[in-house]
Amino acid sequence: GQQVMQIPQYQHVQEGEDFTTYCNSSTTLSNIQWYKQRPGGHPVFLIQLVKSGEVKKQKRLTFQFGEAKKNSSLHITATQTTDVGTYFCAESGAGSYQLTFGKGTKLSVIP
Amino acid sequence: NAGVTQTPKFRILKIGQSMTLQCTQDMNHNYMYWYRQDPGMGLKLIYYSVGAGITDKGEVPNGYNVSRSTTEDFPLRLELAAPSQTSVYFCASSYLAGGPGEQYFGPGTRLTVT
């Protein structure tokens, strides 16, 4: 796997505000996955993006894959306290069975 | 389906002791993985397996061993535990031909080596 950099490392938002986390690579990615980990829990798969420029939505969550397939973002509209946790992106090389995880963005939501 | 189960949930080891972390999945997945997660560091791949009898090293394999005698089970062995192996260990499984698909994680084992 390649190296993916996630920013920011931490984000504190007021409930109802939007939140975005970014995943960047210096090289072209084959695909990108996003996971959410609640405090004290285990990572849970959210989505996989494969195509250049792909945009997928899950209720208040919007996932994008850059046109050059070198970056991805996860945007949450109107955060709720249930959104608290750490969001990880993960990538694999073409044909690889291994995922390389970013360090994650820890989201805190202030009620 | 129970999904991916891991035992034990917590363990404290003394330096130099050995132990096996158990992982079982009941989804008939062919791919299985072991990760360790240190605070603020994301997940690092220790070992993985693409099927029974086939294992390979990940990013941080030193100090660990694995075996995969059945599709369901993928135990991780720690020999001569060291404080640097204090971490949370997650087992995961997936099923997709041609590359990694969605990974299903177990609840984790929290290991402290003192």
Side-chain angles (χ1 to χ4, degrees), chain B residues 28-72:
Chain B
N28 202 32
H29 286 170
N30 42 354
Y31 306 141
M32 294 188 75
Y33 311 83
W34 273 106
Y35 295 92
R36 60 177 287 171
Q37 184 176 36
D38 301 321
M41 295 301 292
L43 293 106
K44 292 188 184 292
L45 183 65
I46 306 171
Y47 270 95
Y48 67 100
S49 168
V50 300
I54 306 168
T55 63
D56 209 345
K57 295 177 182 178
E59 183 183 356
V60 290
N62 291 347
Y64 307 95
N65 276 302
V66 293
S67 59
R68 184 100 182 267
S69 56
T70 66
T71 299
E72 295 78 18

Side-chain angles (χ1 to χ4, degrees), chain A residues 4-70:
Chain A
V4 287
M5 305 301 293
Q6 257 189 280
I7 53 170
Q9 192 174 356
Y10 302 96
Q11 185 84 57
H12 304 275
V13 299
Q14 204 74 35
E15 189 173 16
E17 290 182 339
D18 292 356
F19 160 76
T20 305
T21 174
Y22 300 90
C23 189
N24 300 311
S25 172
S26 58
T27 56
T28 303
L29 302 169
S30 175
N31 59 71
I32 198 95
Q33 296 185 7
W34 286 93
Y35 290 78
K36 176 184 178 182
Q37 184 177 25
R38 289 203 159 100
H42 59 275
V44 175
F45 176 83
L46 294 175
I47 210 151
Q48 176 166 278
L49 305 172
V50 178
K51 298 177 184 175
S52 166
E54 191 168 14
V55 178
K56 288 189 176 179
K57 293 192 176 186
Q58 292 178 352
K59 296 184 181 178
R60 294 178 296 103
L61 277 61
T62 302
F63 304 85
Q64 293 191 335
F65 203 5
E67 293 289 343
K69 298 183 76 174
K70 290 185 176 182

Side-chain angles (χ1 to χ4, degrees), chain A residues 90-110:
Chain A
E91 63 83 22
S92 68
S96 172
Y97 303 109
Q98 301 182 46
L99 280 180
T100 299
F101 282 79
K103 293 185 179 181
T105 296
K106 187 173 181 178
L107 172 64
S108 300
V109 178
I110 305 160

